[in-house]
PDB file of all heavy atoms in Angstrom:
ATOM      1  N   GLY A   1       0.820  -1.200   0.000  1.00  0.00           N
ATOM      2  CA  GLY A   1       0.000   0.000   0.000  1.00  0.00           C
ATOM      3  C   GLY A   1       0.855   1.251   0.000  1.00  0.00           C
ATOM      4  O   GLY A   1       2.034   1.219   0.346  1.00  0.00           O
ATOM      5  N   PRO A   2       0.245   2.380  -0.359  1.00  0.00           N
ATOM      6  CA  PRO A   2       1.014   3.618  -0.479  1.00  0.00           C
ATOM      7  C   PRO A   2       1.514   4.152   0.866  1.00  0.00           C
ATOM      8  O   PRO A   2       2.506   4.863   0.920  1.00  0.00           O
ATOM      9  CB  PRO A   2       0.038   4.595  -1.121  1.00  0.00           C
ATOM     10  CG  PRO A   2      -1.307   4.031  -0.851  1.00  0.00           C
ATOM     11  CD  PRO A   2      -1.137   2.542  -0.753  1.00  0.00           C
ATOM     12  N   GLY A   3       0.873   3.795   1.950  1.00  0.00           N
ATOM     13  CA  GLY A   3       1.288   4.281   3.258  1.00  0.00           C
ATOM     14  C   GLY A   3       2.508   3.568   3.798  1.00  0.00           C
ATOM     15  O   GLY A   3       3.372   4.171   4.428  1.00  0.00           O
ATOM     16  N   LYS A   4       2.590   2.276   3.559  1.00  0.00           N
ATOM     17  CA  LYS A   4       3.688   1.471   4.105  1.00  0.00           C
ATOM     18  C   LYS A   4       4.896   1.403   3.176  1.00  0.00           C
ATOM     19  O   LYS A   4       5.986   1.085   3.627  1.00  0.00           O
ATOM     20  CB  LYS A   4       3.213   0.032   4.376  1.00  0.00           C
ATOM     21  CG  LYS A   4       2.197  -0.103   5.448  1.00  0.00           C
ATOM     22  CD  LYS A   4       2.868  -0.159   6.783  1.00  0.00           C
ATOM     23  CE  LYS A   4       1.822  -0.421   7.853  1.00  0.00           C
ATOM     24  NZ  LYS A   4       2.403  -0.562   9.153  1.00  0.00           N
ATOM     25  N   LEU A   5       4.724   1.675   1.907  1.00  0.00           N
ATOM     26  CA  LEU A   5       5.820   1.527   0.949  1.00  0.00           C
ATOM     27  C   LEU A   5       7.044   2.384   1.297  1.00  0.00           C
ATOM     28  O   LEU A   5       8.164   1.871   1.239  1.00  0.00           O
ATOM     29  CB  LEU A   5       5.329   1.815  -0.468  1.00  0.00           C
ATOM     30  CG  LEU A   5       6.210   1.292  -1.588  1.00  0.00           C
ATOM     31  CD1 LEU A   5       6.393  -0.203  -1.474  1.00  0.00           C
ATOM     32  CD2 LEU A   5       5.623   1.642  -2.937  1.00  0.00           C
ATOM     33  N   PRO A   6       6.898   3.640   1.709  1.00  0.00           N
ATOM     34  CA  PRO A   6       8.094   4.401   2.103  1.00  0.00           C
ATOM     35  C   PRO A   6       8.802   3.795   3.315  1.00  0.00           C
ATOM     36  O   PRO A   6      10.028   3.788   3.388  1.00  0.00           O
ATOM     37  CB  PRO A   6       7.552   5.795   2.440  1.00  0.00           C
ATOM     38  CG  PRO A   6       6.272   5.891   1.701  1.00  0.00           C
ATOM     39  CD  PRO A   6       5.719   4.506   1.666  1.00  0.00           C
ATOM     40  N   LEU A   7       8.039   3.257   4.253  1.00  0.00           N
ATOM     41  CA  LEU A   7       8.647   2.620   5.422  1.00  0.00           C
ATOM     42  C   LEU A   7       9.404   1.358   5.028  1.00  0.00           C
ATOM     43  O   LEU A   7      10.492   1.093   5.552  1.00  0.00           O
ATOM     44  CB  LEU A   7       7.571   2.278   6.457  1.00  0.00           C
ATOM     45  CG  LEU A   7       6.832   3.460   7.070  1.00  0.00           C
ATOM     46  CD1 LEU A   7       5.698   2.978   7.975  1.00  0.00           C
ATOM     47  CD2 LEU A   7       7.788   4.343   7.833  1.00  0.00           C
ATOM     48  N   VAL A   8       8.851   0.602   4.110  1.00  0.00           N
ATOM     49  CA  VAL A   8       9.524  -0.606   3.632  1.00  0.00           C
ATOM     50  C   VAL A   8      10.813  -0.225   2.913  1.00  0.00           C
ATOM     51  O   VAL A   8      11.866  -0.840   3.118  1.00  0.00           O
ATOM     52  CB  VAL A   8       8.587  -1.428   2.696  1.00  0.00           C
ATOM     53  CG1 VAL A   8       9.345  -2.545   2.015  1.00  0.00           C
ATOM     54  CG2 VAL A   8       7.409  -1.969   3.475  1.00  0.00           C
ATOM     55  N   GLY A   9      10.767   0.803   2.090  1.00  0.00           N
ATOM     56  CA  GLY A   9      11.959   1.270   1.384  1.00  0.00           C
ATOM     57  C   GLY A   9      13.028   1.761   2.340  1.00  0.00           C
ATOM     58  O   GLY A   9      14.211   1.479   2.169  1.00  0.00           O
ATOM     59  N   LYS A  10      12.599   2.488   3.371  1.00  0.00           N
ATOM     60  CA  LYS A  10      13.543   2.991   4.369  1.00  0.00           C
ATOM     61  C   LYS A  10      14.201   1.830   5.113  1.00  0.00           C
ATOM     62  O   LYS A  10      15.415   1.816   5.317  1.00  0.00           O
ATOM     63  CB  LYS A  10      12.808   3.897   5.352  1.00  0.00           C
ATOM     64  CG  LYS A  10      13.687   4.534   6.382  1.00  0.00           C
ATOM     65  CD  LYS A  10      12.874   5.464   7.285  1.00  0.00           C
ATOM     66  CE  LYS A  10      13.756   6.078   8.346  1.00  0.00           C
ATOM     67  NZ  LYS A  10      12.994   6.969   9.231  1.00  0.00           N
ATOM     68  N   SER A  11      13.426   0.845   5.491  1.00  0.00           N
ATOM     69  CA  SER A  11      13.963  -0.325   6.199  1.00  0.00           C
ATOM     70  C   SER A  11      14.925  -1.104   5.312  1.00  0.00           C
ATOM     71  O   SER A  11      15.981  -1.555   5.770  1.00  0.00           O
ATOM     72  CB  SER A  11      12.836  -1.239   6.657  1.00  0.00           C
ATOM     73  OG  SER A  11      12.004  -0.589   7.570  1.00  0.00           O
ATOM     74  N   LEU A  12      14.560  -1.259   4.059  1.00  0.00           N
ATOM     75  CA  LEU A  12      15.413  -1.968   3.117  1.00  0.00           C
ATOM     76  C   LEU A  12      16.729  -1.222   2.916  1.00  0.00           C
ATOM     77  O   LEU A  12      17.805  -1.826   2.922  1.00  0.00           O
ATOM     78  CB  LEU A  12      14.694  -2.158   1.782  1.00  0.00           C
ATOM     79  CG  LEU A  12      15.425  -2.945   0.714  1.00  0.00           C
ATOM     80  CD1 LEU A  12      15.666  -4.375   1.193  1.00  0.00           C
ATOM     81  CD2 LEU A  12      14.628  -2.959  -0.573  1.00  0.00           C
ATOM     82  N   GLY A  13      16.663   0.087   2.771  1.00  0.00           N
ATOM     83  CA  GLY A  13      17.866   0.892   2.619  1.00  0.00           C
ATOM     84  C   GLY A  13      18.773   0.803   3.836  1.00  0.00           C
ATOM     85  O   GLY A  13      19.996   0.691   3.718  1.00  0.00           O
ATOM     86  N   LYS A  14      18.170   0.830   5.016  1.00  0.00           N
ATOM     87  CA  LYS A  14      18.948   0.719   6.255  1.00  0.00           C
ATOM     88  C   LYS A  14      19.633  -0.641   6.338  1.00  0.00           C
ATOM     89  O   LYS A  14      20.797  -0.747   6.717  1.00  0.00           O
ATOM     90  CB  LYS A  14      18.036   0.926   7.459  1.00  0.00           C
ATOM     91  CG  LYS A  14      18.754   0.937   8.773  1.00  0.00           C
ATOM     92  CD  LYS A  14      17.806   1.208   9.928  1.00  0.00           C
ATOM     93  CE  LYS A  14      18.543   1.159  11.244  1.00  0.00           C
ATOM     94  NZ  LYS A  14      17.648   1.367  12.383  1.00  0.00           N
ATOM     95  N   SER A  15      18.916  -1.685   5.950  1.00  0.00           N
ATOM     96  CA  SER A  15      19.493  -3.030   5.974  1.00  0.00           C
ATOM     97  C   SER A  15      20.668  -3.149   5.011  1.00  0.00           C
ATOM     98  O   SER A  15      21.698  -3.740   5.351  1.00  0.00           O
ATOM     99  CB  SER A  15      18.431  -4.066   5.604  1.00  0.00           C
ATOM    100  OG  SER A  15      17.384  -4.046   6.538  1.00  0.00           O
ATOM    101  N   VAL A  16      20.525  -2.593   3.834  1.00  0.00           N
ATOM    102  CA  VAL A  16      21.607  -2.638   2.839  1.00  0.00           C
ATOM    103  C   VAL A  16      22.824  -1.871   3.347  1.00  0.00           C
ATOM    104  O   VAL A  16      23.957  -2.333   3.219  1.00  0.00           O
ATOM    105  CB  VAL A  16      21.124  -2.092   1.475  1.00  0.00           C
ATOM    106  CG1 VAL A  16      22.293  -1.884   0.524  1.00  0.00           C
ATOM    107  CG2 VAL A  16      20.103  -3.029   0.867  1.00  0.00           C
ATOM    108  N   ARG A  17      22.590  -0.696   3.962  1.00  0.00           N
ATOM    109  CA  ARG A  17      23.692   0.097   4.517  1.00  0.00           C
ATOM    110  C   ARG A  17      24.428  -0.671   5.606  1.00  0.00           C
ATOM    111  O   ARG A  17      25.663  -0.680   5.655  1.00  0.00           O
ATOM    112  CB  ARG A  17      23.157   1.401   5.095  1.00  0.00           C
ATOM    113  CG  ARG A  17      23.547   2.612   4.298  1.00  0.00           C
ATOM    114  CD  ARG A  17      23.047   3.917   4.904  1.00  0.00           C
ATOM    115  NE  ARG A  17      21.650   4.124   4.504  1.00  0.00           N
ATOM    116  CZ  ARG A  17      20.622   4.212   5.338  1.00  0.00           C
ATOM    117  NH1 ARG A  17      20.783   4.173   6.619  1.00  0.00           N
ATOM    118  NH2 ARG A  17      19.402   4.372   4.875  1.00  0.00           N
ATOM    119  N   GLU A  18      23.677  -1.327   6.502  1.00  0.00           N
ATOM    120  CA  GLU A  18      24.299  -2.094   7.581  1.00  0.00           C
ATOM    121  C   GLU A  18      25.088  -3.279   7.024  1.00  0.00           C
ATOM    122  O   GLU A  18      26.163  -3.601   7.523  1.00  0.00           O
ATOM    123  CB  GLU A  18      23.239  -2.576   8.560  1.00  0.00           C
ATOM    124  CG  GLU A  18      22.659  -1.457   9.404  1.00  0.00           C
ATOM    125  CD  GLU A  18      21.537  -1.921  10.312  1.00  0.00           C
ATOM    126  OE1 GLU A  18      21.198  -3.123  10.315  1.00  0.00           O
ATOM    127  OE2 GLU A  18      20.984  -1.067  11.027  1.00  0.00           O
ATOM    128  N   LEU A  19      24.557  -3.923   5.996  1.00  0.00           N
ATOM    129  CA  LEU A  19      25.252  -5.044   5.373  1.00  0.00           C
ATOM    130  C   LEU A  19      26.564  -4.572   4.744  1.00  0.00           C
ATOM    131  O   LEU A  19      27.608  -5.201   4.926  1.00  0.00           O
ATOM    132  CB  LEU A  19      24.368  -5.716   4.328  1.00  0.00           C
ATOM    133  CG  LEU A  19      24.993  -6.879   3.570  1.00  0.00           C
ATOM    134  CD1 LEU A  19      25.285  -8.026   4.531  1.00  0.00           C
ATOM    135  CD2 LEU A  19      24.090  -7.342   2.458  1.00  0.00           C
ATOM    136  N   LYS A  20      26.525  -3.455   4.017  1.00  0.00           N
ATOM    137  CA  LYS A  20      27.738  -2.905   3.410  1.00  0.00           C
ATOM    138  C   LYS A  20      28.767  -2.566   4.477  1.00  0.00           C
ATOM    139  O   LYS A  20      29.961  -2.832   4.323  1.00  0.00           O
ATOM    140  CB  LYS A  20      27.418  -1.633   2.614  1.00  0.00           C
ATOM    141  CG  LYS A  20      26.907  -1.862   1.232  1.00  0.00           C
ATOM    142  CD  LYS A  20      26.736  -0.520   0.542  1.00  0.00           C
ATOM    143  CE  LYS A  20      26.524  -0.674  -0.918  1.00  0.00           C
ATOM    144  NZ  LYS A  20      26.391   0.634  -1.600  1.00  0.00           N
ATOM    145  N   SER A  21      28.307  -1.966   5.563  1.00  0.00           N
ATOM    146  CA  SER A  21      29.208  -1.591   6.649  1.00  0.00           C
ATOM    147  C   SER A  21      29.860  -2.827   7.257  1.00  0.00           C
ATOM    148  O   SER A  21      31.065  -2.845   7.510  1.00  0.00           O
ATOM    149  CB  SER A  21      28.432  -0.824   7.723  1.00  0.00           C
ATOM    150  OG  SER A  21      29.237  -0.572   8.837  1.00  0.00           O
ATOM    151  N   ALA A  22      29.082  -3.871   7.478  1.00  0.00           N
ATOM    152  CA  ALA A  22      29.619  -5.107   8.058  1.00  0.00           C
ATOM    153  C   ALA A  22      30.634  -5.757   7.121  1.00  0.00           C
ATOM    154  O   ALA A  22      31.687  -6.233   7.562  1.00  0.00           O
ATOM    155  CB  ALA A  22      28.492  -6.076   8.366  1.00  0.00           C
ATOM    156  N   VAL A  23      30.339  -5.760   5.839  1.00  0.00           N
ATOM    157  CA  VAL A  23      31.257  -6.348   4.866  1.00  0.00           C
ATOM    158  C   VAL A  23      32.561  -5.557   4.816  1.00  0.00           C
ATOM    159  O   VAL A  23      33.644  -6.133   4.796  1.00  0.00           O
ATOM    160  CB  VAL A  23      30.600  -6.419   3.468  1.00  0.00           C
ATOM    161  CG1 VAL A  23      31.618  -6.741   2.401  1.00  0.00           C
ATOM    162  CG2 VAL A  23      29.484  -7.450   3.469  1.00  0.00           C
ATOM    163  N   THR A  24      32.458  -4.234   4.837  1.00  0.00           N
ATOM    164  CA  THR A  24      33.651  -3.385   4.812  1.00  0.00           C
ATOM    165  C   THR A  24      34.507  -3.614   6.050  1.00  0.00           C
ATOM    166  O   THR A  24      35.731  -3.736   5.952  1.00  0.00           O
ATOM    167  CB  THR A  24      33.246  -1.903   4.716  1.00  0.00           C
ATOM    168  OG1 THR A  24      32.455  -1.721   3.550  1.00  0.00           O
ATOM    169  CG2 THR A  24      34.461  -1.003   4.645  1.00  0.00           C
ATOM    170  N   GLU A  25      33.869  -3.679   7.218  1.00  0.00           N
ATOM    171  CA  GLU A  25      34.607  -3.935   8.452  1.00  0.00           C
ATOM    172  C   GLU A  25      35.308  -5.289   8.398  1.00  0.00           C
ATOM    173  O   GLU A  25      36.457  -5.423   8.822  1.00  0.00           O
ATOM    174  CB  GLU A  25      33.668  -3.884   9.656  1.00  0.00           C
ATOM    175  CG  GLU A  25      33.202  -2.494  10.017  1.00  0.00           C
ATOM    176  CD  GLU A  25      32.214  -2.499  11.157  1.00  0.00           C
ATOM    177  OE1 GLU A  25      32.122  -3.515  11.885  1.00  0.00           O
ATOM    178  OE2 GLU A  25      31.523  -1.486  11.327  1.00  0.00           O
ATOM    179  N   ASP A  26      34.619  -6.292   7.869  1.00  0.00           N
ATOM    180  CA  ASP A  26      35.195  -7.628   7.756  1.00  0.00           C
ATOM    181  C   ASP A  26      36.391  -7.627   6.813  1.00  0.00           C
ATOM    182  O   ASP A  26      37.416  -8.250   7.095  1.00  0.00           O
ATOM    183  CB  ASP A  26      34.137  -8.619   7.285  1.00  0.00           C
ATOM    184  CG  ASP A  26      34.617 -10.052   7.340  1.00  0.00           C
ATOM    185  OD1 ASP A  26      35.226 -10.420   8.363  1.00  0.00           O
ATOM    186  OD2 ASP A  26      34.381 -10.792   6.362  1.00  0.00           O
ATOM    187  N   GLU A  27      36.272  -6.923   5.692  1.00  0.00           N
ATOM    188  CA  GLU A  27      37.381  -6.848   4.736  1.00  0.00           C
ATOM    189  C   GLU A  27      38.584  -6.153   5.352  1.00  0.00           C
ATOM    190  O   GLU A  27      39.727  -6.564   5.149  1.00  0.00           O
ATOM    191  CB  GLU A  27      36.931  -6.122   3.467  1.00  0.00           C
ATOM    192  CG  GLU A  27      35.997  -6.929   2.594  1.00  0.00           C
ATOM    193  CD  GLU A  27      35.468  -6.151   1.413  1.00  0.00           C
ATOM    194  OE1 GLU A  27      35.618  -4.898   1.373  1.00  0.00           O
ATOM    195  OE2 GLU A  27      34.891  -6.781   0.519  1.00  0.00           O
ATOM    196  N   LYS A  28      38.345  -5.086   6.124  1.00  0.00           N
ATOM    197  CA  LYS A  28      39.444  -4.370   6.776  1.00  0.00           C
ATOM    198  C   LYS A  28      40.133  -5.259   7.806  1.00  0.00           C
ATOM    199  O   LYS A  28      41.360  -5.284   7.894  1.00  0.00           O
ATOM    200  CB  LYS A  28      38.935  -3.099   7.449  1.00  0.00           C
ATOM    201  CG  LYS A  28      38.600  -1.992   6.485  1.00  0.00           C
ATOM    202  CD  LYS A  28      38.105  -0.759   7.214  1.00  0.00           C
ATOM    203  CE  LYS A  28      37.726   0.347   6.241  1.00  0.00           C
ATOM    204  NZ  LYS A  28      37.215   1.533   6.957  1.00  0.00           N
ATOM    205  N   ALA A  29      39.337  -5.995   8.579  1.00  0.00           N
ATOM    206  CA  ALA A  29      39.905  -6.890   9.590  1.00  0.00           C
ATOM    207  C   ALA A  29      40.728  -7.997   8.921  1.00  0.00           C
ATOM    208  O   ALA A  29      41.814  -8.349   9.398  1.00  0.00           O
ATOM    209  CB  ALA A  29      38.797  -7.491  10.441  1.00  0.00           C
ATOM    210  N   GLU A  30      40.229  -8.524   7.821  1.00  0.00           N
ATOM    211  CA  GLU A  30      40.939  -9.574   7.097  1.00  0.00           C
ATOM    212  C   GLU A  30      42.256  -9.040   6.522  1.00  0.00           C
ATOM    213  O   GLU A  30      43.294  -9.706   6.609  1.00  0.00           O
ATOM    214  CB  GLU A  30      40.066 -10.121   5.975  1.00  0.00           C
ATOM    215  CG  GLU A  30      40.662 -11.305   5.265  1.00  0.00           C
ATOM    216  CD  GLU A  30      39.746 -11.878   4.199  1.00  0.00           C
ATOM    217  OE1 GLU A  30      38.556 -11.553   4.187  1.00  0.00           O
ATOM    218  OE2 GLU A  30      40.242 -12.659   3.379  1.00  0.00           O
ATOM    219  N   ALA A  31      42.224  -7.844   5.961  1.00  0.00           N
ATOM    220  CA  ALA A  31      43.442  -7.243   5.411  1.00  0.00           C
ATOM    221  C   ALA A  31      44.474  -7.002   6.515  1.00  0.00           C
ATOM    222  O   ALA A  31      45.677  -7.209   6.312  1.00  0.00           O
ATOM    223  CB  ALA A  31      43.104  -5.935   4.703  1.00  0.00           C
ATOM    224  N   LYS A  32      44.005  -6.589   7.681  1.00  0.00           N
ATOM    225  CA  LYS A  32      44.903  -6.364   8.811  1.00  0.00           C
ATOM    226  C   LYS A  32      45.554  -7.676   9.254  1.00  0.00           C
ATOM    227  O   LYS A  32      46.747  -7.731   9.529  1.00  0.00           O
ATOM    228  CB  LYS A  32      44.126  -5.740   9.967  1.00  0.00           C
ATOM    229  CG  LYS A  32      44.978  -5.346  11.135  1.00  0.00           C
ATOM    230  CD  LYS A  32      44.149  -4.659  12.207  1.00  0.00           C
ATOM    231  CE  LYS A  32      44.998  -4.290  13.404  1.00  0.00           C
ATOM    232  NZ  LYS A  32      44.207  -3.628  14.457  1.00  0.00           N
ATOM    233  N   GLN A  33      44.763  -8.750   9.306  1.00  0.00           N
ATOM    234  CA  GLN A  33      45.296 -10.057   9.690  1.00  0.00           C
ATOM    235  C   GLN A  33      46.328 -10.544   8.677  1.00  0.00           C
ATOM    236  O   GLN A  33      47.364 -11.103   9.043  1.00  0.00           O
ATOM    237  CB  GLN A  33      44.176 -11.084   9.829  1.00  0.00           C
ATOM    238  CG  GLN A  33      43.318 -10.873  11.046  1.00  0.00           C
ATOM    239  CD  GLN A  33      42.158 -11.860  11.121  1.00  0.00           C
ATOM    240  OE1 GLN A  33      41.848 -12.545  10.148  1.00  0.00           O
ATOM    241  NE2 GLN A  33      41.517 -11.921  12.272  1.00  0.00           N
ATOM    242  N   ILE A  34      46.067 -10.337   7.402  1.00  0.00           N
ATOM    243  CA  ILE A  34      47.009 -10.746   6.355  1.00  0.00           C
ATOM    244  C   ILE A  34      48.309  -9.962   6.489  1.00  0.00           C
ATOM    245  O   ILE A  34      49.404 -10.524   6.386  1.00  0.00           O
ATOM    246  CB  ILE A  34      46.373 -10.567   4.956  1.00  0.00           C
ATOM    247  CG1 ILE A  34      45.257 -11.594   4.753  1.00  0.00           C
ATOM    248  CG2 ILE A  34      47.423 -10.686   3.863  1.00  0.00           C
ATOM    249  CD1 ILE A  34      44.432 -11.374   3.505  1.00  0.00           C
ATOM    250  N   ALA A  35      48.192  -8.653   6.736  1.00  0.00           N
ATOM    251  CA  ALA A  35      49.385  -7.826   6.889  1.00  0.00           C
ATOM    252  C   ALA A  35      50.210  -8.276   8.095  1.00  0.00           C
ATOM    253  O   ALA A  35      51.445  -8.345   8.023  1.00  0.00           O
ATOM    254  CB  ALA A  35      48.993  -6.363   7.037  1.00  0.00           C
TER     255      ALA A  35
END
């Protein structure tokens, strides 16, 4: 519905941002361990 769609989009965007952040942190930690 038109009322919930912006909330769903906002939640989806937040989830994607958190996933990207977690992946970036993991990559940095892995690079540090390799170094």
Side-chain angles (χ1 to χ4, degrees):
K4 294 276 185 177
L5 198 58
L7 296 174
V8 170
K10 183 178 179 180
S11 297
L12 183 62
K14 184 177 178 182
S15 298
V16 169
R17 250 182 278 119
E18 288 176 1
L19 178 65
K20 277 184 167 181
S21 174
V23 168
T24 302
E25 288 177 17
D26 188 45
E27 287 175 347
K28 286 180 182 179
E30 186 177 345
K32 186 177 179 180
Q33 288 177 347
I34 290 171

